[in-house]
Amino acid sequence: MTPAWEPLVSIVTTDLAAITRGRSVTESKLERLAATGIGWLQANLSLTPFNAIADPNPWGSSGDLRILPDMGARFRTGKTGSATPFDLVFGDIVQLDGTPWLGCTRTMLRDALAALKKATGLSVIATFEHEFQIFDGGFPSSHSLSFEALRRADPFAPQLMAALEEAGIAPEVIIAEFGEDQFEVTHAPTDALNAADRAVAIREITRETARNTGWRASFAPKTAPLAVGNGVHIHFSFIDSEGNPATYDPARPGRLSAKAGAFCAGVLRHLPALTPMTAASVSSYYRLKPHSWSSSYTWLADQDREATLRICPTVSIGGRDPARQFNIEYRAADATGNPYLSLAVIIRAGLEGLNANLPTPPLVTGDPSVMDETALKSLGLVRLPETLDAALDALLADRIVTGWFAPEFIETFAGVKKAEIEKFADKPADEVCDTYRKLY
Ligand code: GLU
Ligand code: MG
């Protein structure tokens, strides 16, 4: 029987609270809309995750924009268990004449990549590792990382992998993680813009697949104050203009090429100011604490999961080439951060390091949380902001970082974050975590 409906395709953008928002059309209209997009408005960028528009904001009730679909960024799958296919196309927010809009984070990532390429010839390969927890699963308790922990959720894991595969996300591994009812899913490395698109699609496909089972998948950074954190680990590496790997140099400390080292130095230098963008909620800062395998200092280390920038291992089994595997992982991120903006600021900060030709930071071993001030200082280690409020202050104080954006964008970003800070002022941590648990 022919269904009574025609499937919809959604043209979407990701906002400053990392919420996917957009408008939907019947599939047969997409081609026609490709050139001019769908309507959008400036004030939408001031939406908080609590269904309010941050006030004050620079936009008010006036103005109109378009979201132009990027037809190469369509993610479609019929395998989430929904009645109609999951189908979305990521778009760029533009003005009515088609010129880029200052608040489009996808454009910001594209521009950051272009700036890096122009200055250095380098392109970025990236991948986002996502951790999440299932709620309302009604599972019997199970062991961390165990075979049984994955099997008791069957067929959730194979169904999720099939949906991600069909959507073109190239999923790699699904894990029953360390935390209670916690899972992790990874995807194959790809060019940075595609990786950020995939990150958004992974979150939505995972939530939808869980929802269709009667469960809730939460990517909130801390679903309870003492719960294991849900991180988003952003892996990156470089290729040069000839397509050759440019991150690896076995002759240097940590095997980091001089360019990759300068990039890391730039990231660490600006890290406190980047945190409100990559760890963007009040609850994010319950996760960024020592001894949680997240990150808490401006710290580069070789294969240490407490570091903010972790140099990842390579495998030499069967004579495999390390140069193409070699990558660095940024761990101070979670799914309350917009993936385009997160990657854009990492790249902008890295480019500052490259432009200033900064030396590779020291590879730190040990535990910064027990080092005295002198030791921290000699290694250049600074504690990351401990609240969203402090992180926002660090951003607003770093003129180089704010200088990457239009002033209206910074004003909008600060407005949304202040709304989150004010909502939770004086609220206990368990209430904060519970609210974000349900929202993400
Ligand atoms: N759950 C940890 C986090 O919050 C990460 C654990 C791991 O290394 O996979 O980032
Ligand atoms: Mg993990």
Side-chain angles (χ1 to χ4, degrees), residues 170-258:
E172 283 195 328
V173 182
I174 188 154
I175 308 169
E177 251 284 9
F178 182 70
E180 195 175 340
D181 300 339
Q182 188 185 38
F183 298 86
E184 172 175 322
V185 67
T186 66
H187 69 87
T190 181
D191 75 79
L193 187 65
N194 184 231
D197 288 340
R198 285 182 181 182
V200 177
I202 285 170
R203 296 172 195 181
E204 295 302 339
I205 289 174
T206 304
R207 289 191 192 106
E208 182 165 312
T209 305
R211 201 160 56 233
N212 285 327
T213 315
W215 308 340
R216 173 181 278 279
S218 179
F219 290 79
K222 275 278 196 184
T223 54
L226 297 179
V228 168
N230 292 309
V232 172
H233 302 160
I234 306 175
H235 293 250
F236 59 89
S237 61
F238 307 101
I239 49 173
D240 66 19
S241 46
E242 271 89 55
N244 297 315
T247 325
Y248 181 74
D249 183 345
R252 290 176 40 89
R255 305 186 292 168
L256 272 184
S257 67

Side-chain angles (χ1 to χ4, degrees), residues 66 84 118 138 149 189 251 265 295-296 300 308 315 339 362 374 384 399 404:
R66 307 294 287 177
T84 63
K118 185 158 181 256
S295 79
S296 47
L300 171 72
T308 302
V315 174
T374 323
L384 297 187
R399 296 288 162 198
W404 302 331

Side-chain angles (χ1 to χ4, degrees), residues 88-101:
L88 52 78
V89 186
F90 294 104
D92 297 331
I93 309 177
V94 297
Q95 308 195 72
L96 301 182
D97 64 0
T99 50
W101 184 53

